[in-house]
């Protein structure tokens, strides 16, 4: 089954092409800065065991034009792996918000699209572009089946006492205000990979997704029990530009004292806070450079970043009533050994002790970085949301048994 995965952001379009059930992508790429000058395209293809990389810069005005460029690359004699678009049987889409309606991957129908539209207000930066890319794909690949996989779906297993807020019941009954959680596709993938690696399907796991957006999830036997992001992706850990948890009184104070509008508060907390607000930089690689220069703000911000994670680890260890493994994943989680060490420092009471040498070894595969004395495994698990979407799409549309975790390309 030939499956094209589309993972669209507000100004980007990531894609991977799988020939399932081989479980290895034959092509992968990203279109970045859509609608801006110097739009960048990076395209990889595997042919006869050899990887070929193509990079180019174009002006691409919108996602429709970006997807057409992807089609050109996939069907080109030099850069492609198919002769025509009819060879694509399934297009799998990442959709950020599924509300309470979706707990698994679903075939896209008019009813499904209408429900995605109804959730625009809950994910205004993501659901509209996810919806748009579904409509573009329907026109671009008229013979392919369209499948939607939702970031919130994995967290629908949270118990009501975990996802409800202590506000009048009518706001949940009438407006469905509750914690939904995000990054579910990533947390599902890495927790399943860790359980398979450990050979322990009933493992109690804390999954820490650290990228520009950050979240942490308590996973018991493959099910999400609680997660740090809530009604929206603002709460929880400190992130690149988001504040994470903040006393609501601060928001009320700023609204009153500075007479800020709700939109201005949205920009402040989502785009001007987090590591950017603390250091002037949202990228942890830039913060790392400041740390190496002895910058006080960077040192304080890194301590705050790690401390918030440590608080959640303690909380979720209690939620799980035990702990078998802690997972680091995503851009920062996979590539910043100093931050991993900072998070795991002074955590022996919970059974976490990191191996400094193992922590600094780079690997594209699952690696254990806990010491021999550690009672809890500390793992670095590379995430691959696109593969997880492909797997769920394949299992939805075929009679094949569930796919196993595999080494990533």
């Amino acid at each position: 089954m030939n499956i094209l995965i589309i993972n669209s952001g507000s100004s980007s379009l990531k894609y991977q092409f799988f020939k399932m059930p081989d479980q290895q992508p034959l092509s992968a790429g990203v279109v970045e800065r859509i609608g801006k000058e110097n739009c960048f395209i990076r395209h990889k293809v595997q042919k006869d065991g050899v990887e070929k990389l193509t990079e180019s810069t174009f002006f691409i005005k919108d996602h429709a034009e970006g997807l057409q460029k992807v089609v050109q690359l996939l069907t080109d004699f030099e850069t492609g792996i198919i002769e025509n678009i009819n060879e694509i049987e399934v297009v799998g889409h990442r959709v950020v918000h599924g509300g309470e309606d979706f707990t698994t991957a679903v075939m896209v129908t008019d009813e499904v699209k209408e429900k995605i539209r109804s959730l625009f207000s809950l994910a205004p930066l993501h659901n509209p572009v996810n919806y748009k890319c579904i409509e573009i794909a329907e026109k671009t690949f008229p013979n392919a089946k369209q499948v939607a996989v939702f970031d919130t779906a994995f967290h629908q297993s949270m118990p009501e006492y975990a996802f409800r807020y202590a506000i009048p019941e009518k706001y949940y009954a009438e407006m469905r205000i509750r914690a939904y959680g995000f990054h579910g596709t990533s947390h599902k993938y890495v927790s399943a990979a860790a359980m398979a690696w450990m050979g322990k399907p009933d493992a109690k796991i804390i999954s820490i997704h650290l990228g520009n957006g950050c979240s942490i999830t308590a996973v018991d036997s493959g099910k999400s029990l609680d997660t740090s992001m809530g009604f929206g992706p603002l709460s929880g850990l400190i992130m690149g530009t988001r504040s994470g948890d903040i006393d609501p009184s601060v928001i009320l104070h700023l609204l009153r004292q500075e007479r800020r509008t709700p939109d201005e508060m949205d920009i402040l907390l989502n785009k001007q806070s987090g590591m950017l607000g603390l250091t002037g930089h949202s990228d942890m690689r830039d913060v790392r450079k400041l740390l190496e220069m002895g910058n006080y703000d960077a040192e304080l911000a890194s301590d705050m970043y790690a401390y918030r994670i440590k608080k959640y680890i303690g909380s979720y260890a209690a939620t799980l009533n035990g702990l078998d493994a802690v997972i680091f994943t995503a851009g920062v989680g996979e590539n910043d050994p100093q931050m991993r060490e900072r998070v795991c420092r002074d955590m022996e009471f919970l059974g976490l002790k990191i191996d400094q040498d193992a922590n600094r070894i780079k690997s594209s595969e699952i690696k254990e970085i806990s010491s021999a004395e550690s009672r809890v495994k500390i793992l670095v698990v590379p995430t691959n949301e696109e593969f997880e979407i492909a797997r769920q799409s394949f299992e939805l549309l075929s009679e094949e048994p569930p796919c196993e975790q595999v080494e990533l390309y």
Side-chain angles (χ1 to χ4, degrees):
M1 185 183 293
N2 291 335
I3 303 179
L4 175 66
I5 303 304
I6 296 176
N7 184 344
S8 56
S10 58
S11 61
S12 66
L13 192 157
K14 292 194 291 185
Y15 61 93
Q16 290 192 19
F17 183 94
F18 295 88
K19 191 175 184 65
M20 303 290 281
D22 294 345
Q23 306 174 15
Q24 294 288 346
L26 298 179
S27 180
V30 62
V31 185
E32 296 181 324
R33 297 179 57 84
I34 293 173
K36 302 176 183 178
E37 295 297 330
N38 299 321
C39 178
F40 183 77
I41 302 173
R42 189 170 188 267
H43 175 81
K44 292 191 296 185
V45 63
Q46 286 273 13
K47 282 187 173 181
D48 301 321
V50 178
E51 178 181 294
K52 182 174 182 180
L53 174 64
T54 302
E55 296 180 324
S56 53
T57 301
F58 293 88
F59 174 70
I60 294 179
K61 65 179 181 180
D62 55 26
H63 285 75
E65 194 170 292
L67 189 54
Q68 286 300 322
K69 186 63 182 177
V70 172
V71 170
Q72 291 175 20
L73 290 167
L74 290 173
T75 56
D76 182 82
F77 179 77
E78 292 293 331
T79 63
I81 37 84
I82 57 174
E83 293 184 2
N84 62 75
I85 60 172
N86 291 328
E87 293 181 46
I88 295 175
E89 300 167 77
V90 180
V91 181
H93 299 267
R94 175 201 179 207
V95 181
V96 167
H97 215 306
E100 293 183 317
D101 294 307
F102 303 105
T103 60
T104 60
V106 296
M107 284 278 293
V108 173
T109 63
D110 289 341
E111 181 183 6
V112 167
K113 288 182 0 184
E114 185 54 39
K115 287 183 178 179
I116 293 171
R117 280 182 57 86
S118 72
L119 296 165
F120 278 9
S121 63
L122 299 186
L125 296 179
H126 296 93
N127 267 38
V129 72
N130 300 153
Y131 178 91
K132 181 180 180 181
C133 282
I134 288 174
E135 291 210 309
I136 293 169
E138 287 176 327
K139 295 176 182 177
T140 306
F141 310 103
N143 297 326
K145 296 176 181 177
Q146 308 289 326
V147 175
V149 176
F150 300 87
D151 267 10
T152 51
F154 181 58
H155 302 300
Q156 287 301 298
S157 56
M158 289 193 298
E160 188 170 4
Y161 59 75
F163 71 67
R164 286 286 297 274
Y165 293 118
I167 57 177
E169 195 271 341
K170 71 173 185 177
Y171 293 108
Y172 174 65
E174 298 173 10
M175 302 177 67
R176 314 316 287 177
I177 293 179
R178 51 157 288 180
Y180 289 99
F182 299 90
H183 292 150
T185 306
S186 176
H187 288 300
K188 178 180 175 64
Y189 176 83
V190 298
S191 58
M195 288 187 296
W197 185 85
M198 292 188 292
K200 189 174 177 59
D202 60 347
K204 297 178 184 292
I205 292 171
I206 294 176
S207 171
I208 311 171
H209 179 109
L210 302 178
N212 188 51
C214 303
S215 64
I216 182 168
T217 297
V219 182
D220 189 357
S221 304
K223 292 186 177 182
S224 172
L225 294 187
D226 203 354
T227 191
S228 58
M229 286 181 169
F231 181 69
L234 178 59
S235 64
L237 306 181
I238 295 171
M239 308 179 215
T241 64
R242 297 178 187 138
S243 66
D245 288 341
I246 187 169
D247 182 348
S249 299
V250 174
I251 300 171
L252 296 175
H253 179 77
L254 292 175
L255 286 170
R256 292 180 182 128
Q257 296 299 312
E258 296 192 351
R259 298 187 183 279
R260 289 177 178 264
T261 66
D263 286 345
E264 288 172 339
M265 287 303 302
D266 189 326
I267 293 171
L268 172 66
L269 296 175
N270 276 295
K271 298 183 179 180
Q272 298 174 345
S273 297
M275 299 303 283
L276 177 64
L278 292 168
T279 70
H281 297 278
S282 62
D283 193 313
M284 290 297 287
R285 290 168 294 189
D286 295 325
V287 176
R288 173 61 48 196
K289 292 177 183 177
L290 292 178
L291 282 171
E292 292 169 356
M293 296 166 57
N295 182 273
Y296 174 80
D297 291 338
E299 187 68 35
L300 174 62
S302 296
D303 281 342
M304 292 171 64
Y305 186 97
Y307 179 69
R308 185 72 58 84
I309 297 169
K310 290 161 77 86
K311 285 173 67 175
Y312 269 95
I313 290 174
S315 171
Y316 287 168
T319 295
L320 290 164
N321 190 28
L323 187 58
D324 294 305
V326 169
I327 296 170
F328 289 93
T329 193
V332 178
E334 295 171 30
N335 300 300
D336 193 333
Q338 292 90 348
M339 183 53 70
R340 293 194 298 260
E341 192 278 331
R342 196 180 291 248
V343 169
C344 295
R345 188 182 301 155
D346 300 325
M347 296 281 278
E348 290 86 356
F349 179 78
L350 282 179
L352 277 74
K353 190 171 182 181
I354 201 166
D355 183 314
Q356 300 286 355
D357 294 330
N359 184 41
R360 282 170 169 74
I361 298 173
K362 292 185 177 181
S363 175
S364 60
E365 303 175 7
I366 296 176
K367 68 174 181 178
E368 182 175 355
I369 60 172
S370 43
S371 70
E373 297 82 21
S374 183
R375 300 192 307 274
V376 174
K377 291 189 180 300
I378 307 171
L379 305 176
V380 179
V381 183
T383 192
N384 192 330
E385 293 173 294
E386 289 77 19
F387 176 77
E388 180 61 32
I389 295 168
R391 177 168 56 186
Q392 292 188 42
S393 300
F394 178 70
E395 292 173 3
L396 176 68
L397 297 171
S398 75
E399 299 298 326
E400 297 292 330
C403 302
E404 296 179 355
Q405 292 288 348
V406 296
E407 178 182 344
L408 301 178
Y409 146 63

